[in-house]
Amino acid sequence: MAIEIKEVIDNKTLNDFVNLPYILYKNEANWVPPMKKDELHALLPDKNPAFEFCKVKMWVAYQDGKCVGRIGGIINSLWIEKKGQNIGRFTRPEFINDKAVSQQLFETVEQWFKAEGMVEMQGPLGFSNLDHQGCLIEGHDWLPSVASDYHMAYYQQHFDALGYEKEIDWVEFRITFPDALPEKAFKVADMLTKRYGLQALNFKSGKELEPYKQKVFALFNKAFAELFGTFQLPDKLVQFYINKYFPILNPRYVKIILDKEDELAGFLIALPSLSEAMQKAKGKLLPFGWWHIMKALKKPKEMDLMLTGVKPELQKMGVAALLMNDLWKTAKEDGVKYVETTGMLENNHVAIQMWKSFEHIQHKRKRCYKKAL
């Protein structure tokens, strides 16, 4: 059966690009569908400020009139400037278990990258590290957080067959909070607070959190500056992510620590798990998707740890442990015992050490692949 590759240039192909995962994963019990509106807005130049510094092309594959695959290519000038190399990012690959389909999709994006002067391609990567990144290669038996991704188990075989190699992995953890923290944890927290003049902030409303939104992302840019896949997020993109993520936050699950100058020393953003609610919503707020999400936010069963950042000069001083202690207190109040982390780079040992004080397992792994052009 002939395979036809079409570039996304109109509403038909764009909608097919966005809708494919909802068809492909409809029988996968552990897939968490994102909101279609969010997915669509991420791919529209007039909605996503990343298009101001990214050159983007997308393609869909058809077989017998049905959409059977998709892939995108991103040439991110800020990432290239940071790396000092012409490296393209392939993004959002999805396809049926047919190597002819995946081969034609990847050959298409490879040819475009070559024509644009790229010497290597890496992915799956999104517009930034707050976008889709990595292909799930371990942990298909676990429900992902809303900030993570689920992929078909056969994808790894396709990447191998196409000559792609590992660049780096992200690992994810499941943490079990204890009923009580050891007395030592409180003594260490008290010592650190006094020694460095730290002050912990907790929030009850979005209004209280409002003054810290921009400050959180300013620290994010500093704390993540040296990590793979990151670059300094421009102001417009920061506002895009604030508008996307902050409205759904439960302020009680946002923790902030100030230093003795009242500047942001660290932050932690967690969220009552929305995975089951998003499955029930099926990618739409209406007619009842909003109700499932609001119920999950108000009556949490589990929690997702979305993002943690600490001033570089304080990253080995125990600030992250203070943030986790504060999160534990809120979780205990709400009867939440389990926490899912998002992906952490396997070589980010400072961040991974955050879990040493808690019972935990490393249960998922996502991979970034690379291929020389």
Side-chain angles (χ1 to χ4, degrees), residues 38-65:
D38 288 344
E39 291 297 288
L40 184 62
H41 284 186
L43 302 175
L44 293 174
D46 62 336
K47 297 291 185 181
N48 187 350
F51 278 82
E52 294 183 5
F53 55 87
C54 291
K55 191 172 184 178
V56 182
K57 279 185 179 290
M58 297 174 287
W59 298 268
V60 282
Y62 294 94
Q63 197 171 54
D64 290 338

Side-chain angles (χ1 to χ4, degrees), residues 54-274:
C54 291
K55 191 172 184 178
V56 182
K57 279 185 179 290
M58 297 174 287
W59 298 268
V60 282
Y62 294 94
Q63 197 171 54
D64 290 338
K66 294 182 179 180
C67 183
V68 293
R70 74 176 196 183
I71 199 167
I74 300 173
I75 298 176
N76 183 324
S77 62
L78 297 182
W79 171 241
I80 289 174
E81 181 180 352
K82 176 183 175 180
K83 292 290 291 182
Q85 293 177 286
N86 287 341
I87 299 176
R89 297 176 166 212
F90 67 88
T91 190
R92 295 163 167 81
E94 303 281 3
F95 40 84
I96 63 172
N97 193 8
D98 183 333
K99 290 185 178 178
V101 173
S102 60
Q103 181 178 354
Q104 289 194 35
L105 283 168
F106 276 87
E107 285 179 350
T108 300
V109 73
E110 288 170 11
Q111 290 169 7
W112 179 62
F113 280 144
K114 289 179 182 178
E116 293 291 332
M118 300 298 105
V119 298
E120 184 177 303
M121 57 188 286
Q122 297 176 345
L125 292 170
F127 293 95
S128 77
N129 66 314
L130 295 180
D131 193 13
H132 299 284
Q133 61 179 11
C135 177
L136 184 71
I137 62 170
E138 295 176 7
H140 292 85
D141 293 333
W142 293 89
L143 194 67
S145 74
V146 293
S148 191
D149 290 292
Y150 184 90
H151 296 105
M152 292 297 191
Y154 60 76
Y155 281 7
Q156 189 174 2
Q157 299 172 2
H158 286 247
F159 282 115
D160 292 342
L162 291 167
Y164 285 80
E165 300 176 344
K166 173 184 172 179
E167 169 65 20
I168 197 168
D169 286 354
W170 293 267
V171 290
E172 299 184 19
F173 298 84
R174 183 172 177 83
I175 304 161
T176 302
F177 273 157
D179 294 330
L181 291 181
E183 187 64 28
K184 179 182 178 182
F186 295 105
K187 290 182 179 179
V188 171
D190 185 59
M191 179 268 293
L192 290 172
T193 300
K194 292 178 180 178
R195 176 180 295 179
Y196 299 110
L198 303 177
Q199 177 188 355
L201 297 184
N202 294 284
F203 305 96
K204 295 181 180 180
S205 69
K207 185 177 180 179
E208 293 176 340
L209 184 58
E210 184 69 31
Y212 296 95
K213 293 179 179 178
Q214 296 289 343
K215 294 178 180 179
V216 162
F217 275 94
L219 180 53
F220 170 86
N221 271 335
K222 293 179 181 178
F224 286 71
E226 301 304 317
L227 298 182
F228 172 81
T230 66
F231 54 90
Q232 294 292 297
L233 301 182
D235 292 342
K236 287 185 180 180
L237 191 58
V238 165
Q239 192 59 50
F240 175 78
Y241 288 130
I242 287 175
N243 294 341
K244 179 178 180 179
Y245 293 117
F246 271 81
I248 64 169
L249 294 182
N250 181 331
R252 296 177 61 252
Y253 287 76
V254 178
K255 306 300 177 183
I256 280 177
I257 291 181
L258 303 179
D259 63 18
K260 58 185 177 182
E261 282 84 30
D262 286 335
E263 294 182 355
L264 212 60
F267 68 85
L268 182 153
I269 298 176
L271 186 71
S273 177
L274 298 179

Side-chain angles (χ1 to χ4, degrees), residues 233-371:
L233 301 182
D235 292 342
K236 287 185 180 180
L237 191 58
V238 165
Q239 192 59 50
F240 175 78
Y241 288 130
I242 287 175
N243 294 341
K244 179 178 180 179
Y245 293 117
F246 271 81
I248 64 169
L249 294 182
N250 181 331
R252 296 177 61 252
Y253 287 76
V254 178
K255 306 300 177 183
I256 280 177
I257 291 181
L258 303 179
D259 63 18
K260 58 185 177 182
E261 282 84 30
D262 286 335
E263 294 182 355
L264 212 60
F267 68 85
L268 182 153
I269 298 176
L271 186 71
S273 177
L274 298 179
S275 297
E276 291 184 4
M278 293 287 276
Q279 286 185 323
K280 294 175 182 177
K282 299 180 180 179
K284 297 179 180 180
L285 283 175
L286 299 175
F288 302 115
W290 65 271
W291 185 83
H292 295 299
I293 293 170
M294 292 305 298
K295 182 180 178 182
L297 287 171
K298 292 180 179 180
K299 297 181 179 180
K301 299 177 181 178
E302 297 189 3
M303 183 194 311
D304 292 338
L305 186 55
M306 310 291 282
L307 201 61
T308 306
V310 176
K311 268 187 176 182
E313 61 269 28
L314 297 176
Q315 287 179 357
K316 296 183 179 180
M317 303 298 182
V319 174
L322 295 180
L323 291 165
M324 285 297 293
N325 286 355
D326 282 349
L327 184 63
W328 171 83
K329 294 175 185 176
T330 301
K332 183 173 175 59
E333 291 173 3
D334 291 353
V336 175
K337 195 169 183 65
Y338 300 103
V339 183
E340 291 277 335
T341 76
T342 51
M344 311 181 77
L345 288 165
E346 61 185 345
N347 59 2
N348 189 0
H349 303 297
V350 172
I352 291 174
Q353 284 297 308
M354 287 173 61
W355 321 134
K356 66 180 181 180
S357 300
F358 301 98
E359 179 185 341
H360 65 275
I361 58 171
Q362 187 265 298
H363 61 327
K364 299 175 196 165
R365 181 178 293 268
K366 296 193 300 183
R367 178 156 296 171
C368 176
Y369 289 89
K370 64 179 179 181
K371 186 175 183 179

